[in-house]
Structures are given as structure tokens and as C-alpha cells.
Amino acid sequence: DAGVIQSPRHEVTEMGQEVTLRCKPISGHDYLFWYRQTMMRGLELLIYFNNNVPIDDSGMPEDRFSAKMPNASFSNLKIQPSEPRDSAVYFCASSSPETGVYEQYFGPGTRLTVT
Amino acid sequence: DAKTTQPPSMDCAEGRAANLPCNHSTISGNEYVYWYRQIHSQGPQYIIHGLKNNETNEMASLIITEDRKSSTLILPHATLRDTAVYYCIVRADQTGANNLFFGTGTRLTVIP
């Protein structure tokens, strides 16, 4: 298996622009997680899905952030409008019903820079 | 969920065993100990987990004390590629709040 795939790997955008981050989980995994990592706050969970349904979005910073999972193979995280404080590395992770929700497999991340 | 305490940093000579400690004195009976690591510029990587018995896989061994208040992750023959931040996380294996809290971890530096 190719592992969790994220695109793009790097994104540089100007304040006010819409940003879309994409994730393809490992095939057969039924949980999908979006995390954000910054030096100041460490690794934070933003939202997670189970069987394509959002379960907990309490970590989403504000209404500018939204996430969808239209099918088992794809999820996206949108920021509109983006702000400089959104600059961070965004990770997607997935986990399998066989190994349990806490054995999560992370993608390589998307490094977002908002100028 | 139980709080964990780890030393902020450790060094280990290449080829030697790296022993990373974690204290979780408030752990509950149904809580597992998970270990992850994050190599620079990469996503976190699952290593191993256990409940009360010692566990071993191709990456590492996990030793949990009998009272379960502490554990040690052992990398038997550390290589330079094992330089990373190692996170000890305690979670109950249940449906519901399924997030992992990574904390600050231990920065392991493997020295040539």
C-alpha cells in the first residue's frame, strides 16, 4: 500500500485566498483525521471522520475552516479566507478497524505558508 | 486520560540500545500505552502499543512495569535514522473521543 497520500506537499498563498488540502487515506481504513502542527501549539487534532461522517470537529479553529469526506478514498480541508496565522504543517492520518483507532498512519503533511 | 511525563531529551550512541522512559502514574486499568515518533519534516509514525504485557515488534520493544505506572520503549540497536521526537501517549481503547494527544515528547539524538 502507498500509505496516506497528501497533496500538495507545499502551498504558498496570499492572505485572503482559498486553500484546499487533499488527503487519500489507506484503503480499508475507516477513520480519517486532520491534524495541524505548529511550533507554538504542537500537534492538534482539527477534525476526524468515521465511515466518511464527521464525528468531532471541535478542534477546527473557526468558520474559515471546513472539511469534507465525500467518499472513503478522499477528504479535503479548506481554508477560506486564509490568514498568516494559518501557516502550519497539516497532517492527515487514517486508522483501521482491525488495528484500532489509536494506531494511526500519517501522511507526509502539507506545509502551508500564508503571506 | 492519564497524563504522561517524559524527559525532554536524550542521547544514545549509534549501535547501542536506546531506552526511552515514560511515567504514567495515573493510568487506568483500561488505558493502553502508545508510542509514536516523529522524524524531522515527516508525519508521526506509530511504533508500538501495549496494555500490561511486554510487547515487541520489528521496530521496538515496550516494557510496562507491573503496576503499569511507567513504561520504557527500547530501540535495541539505535541508528542515526532513529533520531526523532518520541511520544508516549495513554488512551483507553474505546469509541468516542478518538484523538491522540501528543504532548512534547522526548527528543532522541543518536550520535555516531
Side-chain angles (χ1 to χ4, degrees), chain B residues 2-3 6 12 37 47 63 77 93 97 111:
Chain B
K3 179 181 165 56
Q6 299 178 253
C12 176
R37 73 179 181 184
I47 301 173
I63 309 297
H77 306 287
D93 198 9
I111 301 168

Side-chain angles (χ1 to χ4, degrees), chain B residues 59-107:
Chain B
M59 288 183 68
S61 295
L62 174 60
I63 309 297
I64 303 174
T65 58
E66 194 169 340
D67 63 7
R68 303 208 325 119
K69 293 184 177 182
S70 66
S71 60
T72 301
L73 180 75
I74 301 172
L75 309 178
H77 306 287
T79 71
L80 298 179
R81 289 181 297 178
D82 293 322
T83 293
V85 179
Y86 287 77
Y87 299 95
C88 170
I89 302 165
V90 172
R91 293 296 293 185
D93 198 9
Q94 61 187 17
T95 57
N98 292 317
N99 54 303
L100 291 168
F101 176 67
F102 280 82
T104 54
T106 296
R107 183 173 298 277

Side-chain angles (χ1 to χ4, degrees), chain A residues 59-80:
Chain A
M60 297 285 261
E62 48 199 273
D63 292 345
R64 297 184 297 106
F65 285 68
S66 64
K68 287 187 167 59
M69 191 165 186
N71 58 61
S73 309
F74 177 73
S75 175
N76 63 33
L77 177 70
K78 287 190 180 182
I79 308 172
Q80 167 62 23

Side-chain angles (χ1 to χ4, degrees), chain A residues 24-44:
Chain A
K24 176 178 168 55
I26 294 172
S27 176
H29 283 195
D30 63 344
Y31 278 91
L32 184 139
F33 305 83
W34 282 100
Y35 290 85
R36 176 173 71 174
Q37 186 171 37
T38 62
M39 288 292 292
M40 290 293 293
R41 301 175 66 90
L43 201 61
E44 307 171 278

